[in-house]
Amino acid sequence: MLAHLSLKHFAVVNEAELAFGPGLTVISGETGAGKSLLVDALGLLSGLRADSGVVRHGADRAELVGEFTLDDVPAAAGWLRGNELDEDGTGEAATCLVRRVVRADGGSRAWINGRPVTVGQLAELAALLVEIHGQHEHQALLSRPSQLALLDAFGRTGAERDAVARAAARWSALLQERDALSAKGDVSERIDWLEHQHAELERETLEPESIEQLQVDHRRQAHAADLIGACESAFARLGGDDAPSLTRVLQQVRVELQRVAEHEPRLNEVDGMLDAAAIQLDEALVMLDRVRGDLDMDPSAFDRIEQRLGRLHELARKHRVTPEQLAGHRDALASELEQLRGAGVRLQKLDAEIETARAGWRQAAAALGCKRRDAADALAAATTGLIAELGMGGGRFDIAIEPIEGDKPDPLGGERVEFLVAANPGQPARALRKVASGGELSRISLAIEVAALGLDAVPTMVFDEVDSGIGGGVAEIVGQKLRALGATRQVLCVTHLPQVAAQGHAHYRVSKAASEGVTQSQVQRLDGRQRQEELARMLGGVELTREARAAAKRLLSDVS
């Protein structure tokens, strides 16, 4: 629901702040005062194209801000979460702030909850928040998808529509799988090639740890002579018998220190350290002996290792991977082979599954279509009765249901709808989007919404000059219908008729005045006394007579 609207330097409005509540809010004012500017402002906040003409003369930019509560619009709250535009990132946003700035050079920018967005995103969100009914082509009810959504809401077809969407998704997924398999054509040559490549890789041990060990063995064999010489030299110098070794020197040092340690206790600590060193030295000698024992200058073993490494590098070059990636490539070839070998069998099964899925969709679509036809008859009859009450006697409202050509898994069902209207007796019904008269279009839109009792999910409905070209008793009926719609939806209505304005739960007046040679519009919320005066002005013109005031008082008392 729209809670607050702020305008700054917008057309002839210097600055205005409007608060809105539930029910019907009416907006009145003299001709040319700018009362439809509020509708235009909501249109810009809904993503309509902006131009420099909306910027007040002398200002560098116009700024529009709308605040919406989301408690009754779960779809909008979900859209904000999905686009990461919820206010605090918790997904629990209770309000939404929409802002748009139009510069004097014609450029514009938009924000949702303080984050920059595209005009397209603004339009997507606004479609969930506001419907504008007036003399403009952007009305939601002129859109065939919106018409279908309204009919489904009226017919309460949610369960049937979900069933159709699920069946369409299943059917579509199977078709895509079959297309992907069929696109591969004759796979026998591919299978032969894969089998050859896979067999070639299978003959080698390709696990990365095996290749790493092979490289270690290769380095050891390549440097075997140096390693053997180094080990033998180190062993001789550390513990050999032919020359003074480090082991003997260490033992002699310990004996000398132990002989005099009784005179200096700290030498015992030194002896302990040397003892630990002797242990480490012995362990090193054991390890050296083991390493030396493992080393063997075997030219034939080296050749075998070299040959195997050469084969691995050749395979890696052939398959355009590193040696360490050969195992993964082998497994990928095996997986593709398995899929291709089963492709023929899968294609045969797919044909049967697709036919089952098609039959399931048709059954679900038929149930949805049946419910839509019943809903279309009921909505058409109710709307036809209402447009007669709204001053279009003899007019007729129809809903055409057209089957979709072709055989495809459509998630919306097997038909589309078109709202048709004949404004006068004897005229053929034409598409609602082709109705020429703006006033008739507004009243038809009102009749449809009243007949549907606001069943579409959009919480705020705006009617611009819905009472154009009517008066008297019809005007009073229009007001009553708007007030009735306000019981289930927030309704904003720009009007010039007192019979309509009297039905409002709240009333704003737009007036204009010249200040320093510049025309400005002001927007004022009216209290009870002011509202009576405004209705009297609407009834009697510029000069307020006692009779006009009395008539205005009666209008208000009849409503309350």
Side-chain angles (χ1 to χ4, degrees):
M1 184 180 74
L2 178 65
H4 189 269
L5 181 64
S6 172
L7 312 178
K8 189 172 183 180
H9 302 315
F10 180 63
V12 292
V13 177
N14 182 35
E15 194 167 350
E17 301 282 342
L18 295 87
F20 297 96
L24 170 63
T25 297
V26 295
I27 302 164
S28 65
E30 297 178 3
T31 302
K35 53 184 179 292
S36 289
L37 285 175
L38 302 179
V39 179
D40 296 337
L42 285 173
L44 287 173
L45 288 175
S46 299
L48 292 186
R49 183 183 175 191
D51 60 65
S52 59
V54 303
V55 181
R56 186 172 175 269
H57 179 71
D60 59 354
R61 65 180 188 177
E63 183 172 352
L64 315 170
V65 180
E67 181 182 354
F68 296 85
T69 60
L70 305 179
D71 296 335
D72 55 348
V73 205
W79 185 93
L80 290 170
R81 286 193 298 272
N83 288 270
E84 298 183 350
L85 291 168
D86 44 319
E87 189 171 8
D88 55 6
T90 64
E92 300 298 331
T95 62
C96 173
L97 205 64
V98 178
R99 177 172 172 248
R100 191 165 185 189
V101 170
V102 183
R103 299 190 302 273
D105 62 6
S108 74
R109 295 185 64 192
W111 294 263
I112 295 175
N113 286 331
R115 299 179 179 91
V117 295
T118 66
V119 173
Q121 288 176 303
L122 203 64
E124 286 180 19
L125 176 61
L128 303 172
L129 296 172
V130 180
E131 268 186 13
I132 299 177
H133 302 269
Q135 302 177 37
H136 304 287
E137 294 182 356
H138 62 263
Q139 298 178 63
L141 278 180
L142 297 183
S143 162
R144 294 189 69 176
S146 296
Q147 294 174 359
L148 182 63
L150 179 60
L151 178 63
D152 281 340
F154 179 79
R156 292 176 171 84
T157 64
E160 290 79 6
R161 188 160 169 161
D162 288 345
V164 168
R166 289 193 300 270
R170 172 62 179 163
W171 183 10
S172 180
L174 291 171
L175 289 174
Q176 290 175 7
E177 184 181 355
R178 185 178 65 181
D179 290 344
L181 288 175
S182 299
K184 295 178 180 179
D186 184 5
V187 296
S188 58
E189 291 186 5
R190 175 69 175 173
I191 290 176
D192 291 342
W193 183 84
L194 287 172
E195 286 178 338
H196 174 73
Q197 300 295 314
H198 184 258
E200 186 178 49
L201 292 173
E202 275 282 279
R203 287 193 289 268
E204 300 291 339
T205 304
L206 301 177
E207 276 58 42
E209 58 271 14
S210 175
I211 294 176
E212 182 181 358
Q213 183 60 49
L214 186 65
Q215 291 169 340
V216 170
D217 293 343
H218 181 266
R219 289 194 297 270
R220 182 186 296 114
Q221 284 291 338
H223 299 88
D226 292 338
L227 289 169
I228 290 172
C231 287
E232 289 179 346
S233 174
F235 193 88
R237 294 171 67 181
L238 292 176
D241 296 329
D242 299 335
S245 64
L246 186 56
T247 303
R248 290 181 181 180
V249 171
L250 186 58
Q251 186 60 30
Q252 290 170 0
V253 170
R254 289 188 65 198
V255 170
E256 291 175 3
L257 291 177
Q258 288 171 359
R259 191 169 55 248
V260 297
E262 59 179 319
H263 307 301
E264 174 51 73
R266 286 178 295 177
L267 290 178
N268 290 324
E269 294 183 23
V270 174
D271 182 62
M273 296 177 185
L274 293 175
D275 183 44
I279 294 172
Q280 292 290 324
L281 186 58
D282 288 340
E283 292 178 355
L285 286 169
V286 172
M287 180 63 72
L288 267 175
D289 187 54
R290 185 180 302 142
V291 171
R292 172 61 188 89
D294 292 340
L295 293 171
D296 185 15
M297 293 183 61
D298 184 355
S300 61
F302 180 69
D303 290 342
R304 288 194 299 272
I305 293 174
E306 280 243 299
Q307 289 172 6
R308 188 177 171 212
L309 276 176
R311 289 197 304 272
L312 292 177
H313 283 285
E314 183 181 349
L315 285 172
R317 286 192 299 270
K318 180 178 179 179
H319 294 279
R320 299 181 180 180
V321 295
T322 65
E324 292 75 17
Q325 293 172 329
L326 284 170
H329 184 62
R330 176 201 60 203
D331 295 342
L333 293 179
S335 177
E336 186 179 355
L337 263 174
E338 183 179 356
Q339 291 178 359
L340 291 179
R341 285 167 178 161
V345 176
R346 180 58 184 154
L347 275 172
Q348 293 177 355
K349 291 182 178 179
L350 272 173
D351 289 339
E353 290 181 20
I354 288 171
E355 189 54 42
T356 300
R358 179 189 286 112
W361 179 87
R362 286 174 175 169
Q363 183 178 359
L368 175 59
C370 181
K371 200 163 185 179
R372 279 173 173 168
R373 286 188 288 275
D374 291 343
D377 291 342
L379 181 58
T383 304
T384 296
L386 284 167
I387 61 175
E389 293 183 56
L390 297 179
M392 296 173 63
R396 185 177 80 257
F397 178 79
D398 288 327
I399 299 176
I401 297 181
E402 306 164 355
I404 296 175
E405 298 295 331
D407 186 24
K408 61 180 182 179
D410 194 308
L412 296 180
E415 59 278 318
R416 293 294 182 269
V417 304
E418 177 87 65
F419 286 1
L420 308 175
V421 63
N424 298 297
Q427 290 184 344
R430 293 186 301 149
L432 179 64
R433 53 192 165 85
K434 296 181 180 178
V435 173
S437 168
E440 289 175 344
L441 183 57
S442 296
R443 274 176 277 162
I444 292 167
S445 298
L446 172 61
I448 294 170
E449 291 295 349
V450 172
L453 297 176
L455 285 173
D456 52 352
V458 178
T460 299
M461 297 178 183
V462 182
F463 292 90
D464 185 15
E465 302 286 357
V466 69
D467 47 18
S468 176
I470 63 173
V474 174
E476 185 175 356
I477 292 172
V478 169
Q480 292 170 351
K481 300 303 181 184
L482 286 168
R483 189 177 178 92
L485 186 59
T488 58
R489 289 291 184 267
Q490 182 188 45
V491 180
L492 311 181
C493 178
V494 176
T495 182
H496 65 279
L497 293 179
Q499 295 94 329
V500 174
Q503 296 289 334
H505 298 93
H507 192 154
Y508 278 98
R509 178 180 63 201
V510 182
S511 58
K512 65 178 181 178
S515 176
E516 300 180 356
V518 178
T519 300
Q520 296 185 14
S521 289
Q522 295 180 334
V523 184
Q524 179 185 9
R525 184 176 180 125
L526 305 180
D527 59 23
R529 181 65 181 174
Q530 292 168 333
R531 191 175 180 190
Q532 184 175 318
E533 289 292 297
E534 174 64 4
L535 292 179
R537 180 198 65 76
M538 297 170 75
L539 284 163
V542 177
E543 184 177 350
L544 299 184
T545 63
R546 182 172 60 185
E547 290 79 4
R549 287 190 171 95
K553 186 176 182 179
R554 281 197 303 273
L555 281 176
L556 291 173
S557 62
D558 289 344
V559 173
S560 57

